[in-house]
Each structure stands twice: as structure tokens, then as C-alpha cells.
Amino acid sequence: QTPVSEVMTTDVVTLRPDQSPAEVADVFADKGIGAAPVVDESGKVVGLLRDEDLLVTEARLHLPTTIAILPGIEFTFPRDIRRYDEELKRAASSTAADLMEREYPKVGPDATVEDLATLMHERDVTHVVVEDDGAPVGIVARGDLVRFLAKST
């Protein structure tokens, strides 16, 4: 029943919604981090931006396959058309707000490491924001949790 406060980073690097992808990449590189909460003017978390969210701005997106059924009639076979549409919007984005995940993984400061590990495993996420009344008080990367587990066993 170890509290999440024992594994979280408390010096949380945050981003502004209006920052460009290049500015975000600079912050990630300068700080050596892979994710950061995006906060509004009041300091409340509005999203989470991860390094993988930046990659889509540089990735080559593959258009859905279109096949001709009859002359003049085409059918688009969507493998995952929603994902493609989302990636296309992200690739054309110009701000952190465009790229960030609005439904991001989070826990409260009273959560346990067990709660945190369960969330990370079930949602297959690499970063979790620790919030108190909507403000970021910590962030946990998967590596933080692995280091804690290594020390405690």
C-alpha cells in the first residue's frame, strides 16, 4: 500500500496549449522527458502530451485503400478510419492543444503504487499524471515504477 508520492516526480514540467510542436520537442529534449501535462492559464491540467504524439507530425500517413467495385463505383476499405482521421488532424496540428490527449491517465495523490501499476497495465500507458484538484502535483513514467519495484524487491 505504498503511496504514489514515493514514486512520482514532483518537479513537473508543464506545457502551454499554444506551444508549437517544435517548442514541445525542445522542452522534451532539454529536460530529458517523454511526456508532460498541458495546463491552462489557471494551472489546471487540460491534457497530456507524449513524445509519441509528436511523431505523428513527422510520420508518413498511409491513405486508406480504395478499390473499384464497378466502373465509377469505388469503396474505401477502412482499416481504422477513425484512427486515420485522428492521425491526419494531428499531423496537420500546430499547437500542443491540437496534439495532446484530452482523455489522459491520471490518479490522485492518495492513490497507491498498486493502483498506479494496475492503471498503467490495463490501459497500456507509459505516463500517468498525479493531480490534486485538477492541478499537477506529480507525474509517473513507467521507468519510475520499474525502478521503485526493483528497489523494493
Side-chain angles (χ1 to χ4, degrees):
Q1 296 301 328
T2 306
V4 72
S5 60
E6 290 194 26
V7 297
M8 72 183 190
T9 298
T10 56
D11 185 19
V12 183
V13 174
T14 61
L15 303 168
R16 296 183 325 274
D18 64 340
Q19 284 182 278
S20 71
E23 290 173 318
V24 172
D26 287 344
V27 170
F28 283 4
D30 290 346
K31 301 292 185 180
I33 59 174
V38 180
V39 298
D40 64 15
E41 310 80 40
S42 68
K44 302 287 184 185
V45 180
V46 294
L48 178 67
L49 205 150
R50 299 162 299 147
D51 50 8
E52 64 191 68
D53 298 322
L54 290 175
L55 295 179
V56 75
T57 64
E58 298 299 320
R60 180 177 310 142
L61 301 179
H62 300 282
L63 295 172
T65 304
T66 301
I67 58 172
I69 299 173
L70 295 171
I73 299 176
E74 293 184 347
F75 175 74
T76 301
F77 185 73
R79 286 180 38 195
D80 186 349
I81 198 68
R82 278 191 217 136
R83 180 176 176 198
Y84 175 78
D85 184 51
E86 186 177 302
E87 286 180 356
L88 187 60
K89 287 176 186 171
R90 284 183 172 196
S93 67
S94 60
T95 66
D98 296 332
L99 288 170
M100 72 185 186
E101 184 179 347
R102 294 177 191 282
E103 297 294 323
Y104 55 92
K106 61 185 170 185
V107 295
D110 57 340
T112 65
V113 169
E114 180 182 9
D115 298 331
L116 178 68
T118 301
L119 173 66
M120 292 180 108
H121 174 72
E122 287 179 353
R123 293 196 43 200
D124 192 25
V125 295
T126 58
H127 296 82
V128 175
V129 179
V130 183
E131 290 183 19
D132 189 11
D133 197 27
V137 295
I139 190 164
V140 181
R142 185 176 287 163
D144 298 328
L145 187 55
V146 170
R147 279 187 290 281
F148 171 78
L149 294 173
K151 285 187 342 188
S152 64
T153 54

